[in-house]
Amino acid sequence: IPILRRALAMSQRPLSLFASPWTAPAWLKSNGDVRGKGTLKGRAGDRHHRTWAKYFIRFLDEYAKRNVTFWAVTAQNEPRAALLAPAAFPTVAFSAAQQRDFIVRDLGPALARSPHAARVLILDDQRSHLPAWAQVVLGNASAARHVLGIGVHWYLDALVPARCSLEATHRLFPRHALLYTEACSGFLTLR
């Protein structure tokens, strides 16, 4: 929070912050561990999913108490990478349909009822999942109304041409932002 405050104070224009969860608490996950390939227990709309959505609101509440507000939250960081990640990787696995349903039944309504203006970014994983992921989530009008845009990671960019992923997705959903939300230099270099 002190670093965020310093960055906000130093910026000549407002900063738009977004937050992305790594994992739900172990007791909400199917594998009973914050690490590994677990999903949220149950189904969208049940007490586990509603509770996870409440965690998002509590996070925003606590930061707001400290005068830090968020422009957006992602529904999950790397929801598909969870299937490939090492056992020690903290994550929650989601399919596009599971993410859509969580947004429609739990996260979207929780944000709408809250005092926060934060909207949702979907995917927040490799762009190789586009445009299929966006079609499943944004193709649902109830989900799309809560979604500001699509977060993508650049790690596999050399394998997936932009025209096949970003351009195709933009053509389908031109009103939703496409944002690179995570990247690092030198990862999976193919040269």
Side-chain angles (χ1 to χ4, degrees):
I1 291 172
I3 292 170
L4 283 174
R5 283 190 181 148
R6 284 179 50 205
L8 292 164
M10 291 171 55
S11 179
Q12 294 180 11
R13 10 178 209 175
L15 296 179
S16 297
L17 303 175
F18 78 92
S20 187
W22 278 82
T23 187
W27 68 273
L28 285 177
K29 288 182 59 187
S30 63
N31 66 346
D33 195 329
V34 294
R35 300 160 301 177
K37 297 167 178 48
T39 61
L40 287 179
K41 288 180 182 175
R43 303 174 115 174
D46 71 8
R47 68 184 182 94
H48 298 99
H49 286 69
R50 282 191 311 272
T51 299
W52 184 225
K54 287 178 184 177
Y55 268 80
F56 282 75
I57 304 308
R58 178 68 185 267
F59 170 87
L60 295 169
D61 289 345
E62 292 302 317
Y63 272 84
K65 287 177 187 174
R66 291 152 181 85
N67 295 317
V68 177
T69 58
F70 289 82
W71 170 69
V73 294
T74 74
Q76 176 59 43
N77 180 59
E78 296 188 351
R80 297 317 291 164
L83 302 175
L84 305 171
F89 194 78
T91 190
V92 176
F94 270 107
S95 68
Q98 289 168 321
Q99 189 172 84
R100 175 201 61 214
D101 296 346
F102 175 60
I103 292 166
V104 169
R105 300 197 66 195
D106 305 292
L107 183 57
L111 284 169
R113 287 189 305 269
S114 81
H116 307 289
R119 301 274 306 280
V120 178
L121 298 175
I122 62 167
L123 185 58
D124 202 21
D125 208 333
Q126 301 307 315
R127 76 175 195 207
S128 58
H129 301 300
L130 294 175
W133 194 280
Q135 288 172 309
V136 171
V137 180
L138 298 178
N140 179 294
S142 296
R145 78 170 189 251
H146 298 290
V147 176
L148 177 69
I150 306 159
V152 291
H153 298 181
W154 79 1
Y155 304 114
L156 301 178
D157 279 7
L159 304 175
V160 182
R163 72 184 173 285
C164 297
S165 56
L166 300 179
E167 190 176 311
T169 304
H170 177 67
R171 275 196 313 274
L172 291 168
F173 304 102
R175 293 189 177 148
H176 287 84
L178 286 162
L179 304 165
Y180 273 119
T181 54
E182 183 180 317
C184 68
S185 180
F187 178 84
L188 196 64
T189 2
L190 300 174
R191 294 182 195 150

